[in-house]
Amino acid sequence: MFNNAVLVEMIKSLAKSLPHPVLCRLYHRAHFRERSAGAAAAASRAGLPLLDSVDLSLWKTSDTLFILGSAWSINEISDERWQVIGKHDSVGINFWPAHPFVPRFFQFEDITYDYHPVMYDAFRALLERRSEAYANTLKIITEVNPIGLRQTVFELPEGMKKNLYVGFSMPVVARNEEELRAGIQYMHAIGAFSPRANVAWLFKYGGSVIAMMTLAVLMGYKRIVLCGVDLNKQDYFYQHRERYPECTDWEFVSRKEAHLTTRRLPWLVPAQSAIYIFKELILDPEDIELFVESRVSTLYPRVPLAYQSLFEELAHQGVPSRHSVPSR
């Protein structure tokens, strides 16, 4: 019987010749075992619980989830809109703690020092600085690396370990939109999008946005609003020199280039296409609404804009604002 490493190498060698349905299933089988075991090993060593040990239904307080990306348009959101966002559930991604608004959920990917030393040091310092503010936020770390590497999950500030859970993500292999569509349909067939209170892993394709959209589906949200998901240049909100002087010089990728996830690569469908397909196959059949907060997003107009009338409606729903609002 093949061990998992042998199976992965076999799949890689046969990838171009295998029919896509067979490749998709073999890929899922091999990587599920690998990532599940890796998350369990990292959680054990770090003394952290696994994601499926928390009842997510106890954390859900709204039918609307705001997904907070890090693009420049975050800086254009008004104080009034932040007040509304604070009355509903929200999830920040990766370097989100650089922003003063504290979301209900925070998801970040593990970083290894050897591969990204500058990013590693910057992120760890950010987590240290914001650990007290995030004590009551449910936190999820994914994409943990092999045990022998120096990585974020093993050097977390003590304050960040409260309400922190280790999960993992599962992608599909796809060279084009047709294969991505088939891959998502396969994921649907095996229950990857069936709502439940305990979640071990998240479907992810490209960046973290689809992973958080998957979380929204699993938790039963009826409306998703994408904020700071511009998908154009790699300009980030924290590079605003006046507002974020301590972060403004962070430039882990070239600001002049198109966002990495929007490029068409041999095994990567652009993020915009992936989100459109996810919306069509997963959100629309369940009547889950999807909006973008800013028309700057390249998803607009295929993903509709969250007009002021929607924010006015949401202002009368939810709980009193629980989160800090940015000071101008």
Side-chain angles (χ1 to χ4, degrees):
M1 184 175 181
F2 289 117
N3 64 34
N4 207 58
V6 172
L7 182 58
V8 169
E9 290 306 313
M10 182 181 72
I11 293 170
K12 288 180 179 179
S13 66
L14 296 175
K16 293 183 179 180
S17 58
L18 284 174
H20 183 259
V22 176
L23 174 62
C24 191
R25 285 155 178 77
L26 285 175
Y27 181 91
H28 179 77
R29 176 186 172 190
H31 285 267
F32 184 88
R33 291 167 59 183
E34 181 181 56
R35 295 189 178 198
S36 176
S44 177
R45 177 172 169 179
L48 296 170
L50 289 169
L51 179 58
D52 61 3
S53 68
V54 62
D55 185 342
L56 292 175
S57 67
L58 301 178
W59 288 79
K60 182 172 179 282
T61 66
S62 170
D63 283 332
T64 299
L65 180 69
F66 289 87
I67 296 177
L68 307 175
S70 296
W72 187 268
S73 66
I74 285 292
N75 292 320
E76 308 305 321
I77 298 177
S78 67
D79 289 348
E80 291 74 22
R81 287 198 169 188
W82 282 119
Q83 290 283 358
V84 175
I85 294 170
K87 296 177 71 175
H88 295 268
D89 291 347
S90 56
V91 55
I93 299 172
N94 292 324
F95 276 81
W96 180 260
H99 196 281
F101 180 88
V102 179
R104 186 148 184 82
F105 306 101
F106 171 47
Q107 181 270 331
F108 60 101
E109 297 181 2
D110 194 32
I111 302 173
T112 57
Y113 180 84
D114 289 348
Y115 299 151
H116 306 286
V118 176
M119 182 187 294
Y120 183 93
D121 288 339
F123 190 59
R124 193 185 185 289
L126 176 63
L127 295 183
E128 183 74 58
R129 189 166 70 247
R130 299 287 281 156
S131 61
E132 183 176 349
Y134 274 70
N136 295 322
T137 293
L138 188 145
K139 299 170 284 291
I140 303 169
I141 183 170
T142 61
E143 323 308 322
V144 295
N145 291 275
I147 291 293
L149 297 173
R150 182 184 176 190
Q151 54 193 288
T152 307
V153 70
F154 300 138
E155 298 187 5
L156 288 161
E158 284 301 316
M160 271 288 171
K161 293 182 180 180
K162 182 182 177 182
N163 295 319
L164 174 63
Y165 299 87
V166 180
F168 63 100
S169 68
M170 284 299 302
V172 294
V173 286
R175 291 160 285 203
N176 51 54
E177 281 79 356
E178 181 181 359
E179 289 185 350
L180 178 57
R181 184 180 298 272
I184 291 177
Q185 289 171 332
Y186 168 70
M187 283 288 189
H188 187 275
I190 65 172
F193 309 112
S194 300
R196 49 190 176 272
N198 299 95
V199 173
W201 59 278
L202 301 167
F203 169 70
K204 174 187 171 185
Y205 188 84
S208 298
V209 172
I210 286 185
M212 293 303 95
M213 292 168 67
T214 297
L215 182 66
V217 174
L218 294 174
M219 292 183 66
Y221 288 98
K222 296 301 182 184
R223 181 185 294 112
I224 301 168
V225 183
L226 303 178
C227 304
V229 183
D230 299 352
L231 299 176
N232 41 43
K233 292 182 180 180
Q234 300 182 122
D235 283 327
Y236 296 98
F237 74 83
Y238 50 75
Q239 291 170 328
H240 190 295
R241 187 163 297 279
E242 287 72 31
R243 293 187 186 179
Y244 306 99
E246 71 280 10
C247 310
T248 190
D249 292 326
W250 291 348
E251 190 167 334
F252 310 121
V253 291
S254 173
R255 299 175 66 174
K256 297 179 180 179
E257 296 180 1
H259 196 283
L260 177 62
T261 62
T262 67
R263 306 172 200 174
R264 185 175 293 277
L265 301 173
W267 289 91
L268 182 67
V269 174
Q272 293 93 332
S273 296
I275 291 172
Y276 300 149
I277 293 171
F278 188 90
K279 178 180 183 298
E280 174 192 344
L281 296 181
I282 305 303
L283 302 185
D284 291 350
E286 298 299 324
D287 294 323
I288 300 172
E289 298 178 295
L290 179 66
F291 298 94
V292 291
E293 189 278 332
S294 172
R295 67 178 69 244
V296 170
S297 173
T298 56
L299 295 170
Y300 177 77
R302 286 191 61 176
V303 174
L305 186 68
Y307 286 102
Q308 184 59 28
S309 58
L310 174 61
F311 276 87
E312 291 171 358
E313 176 186 341
L314 291 175
H316 299 290
Q317 301 174 7
V319 298
S321 184
R322 303 162 299 215
H323 310 293
S324 60
V325 175
S327 58
R328 298 283 174 177

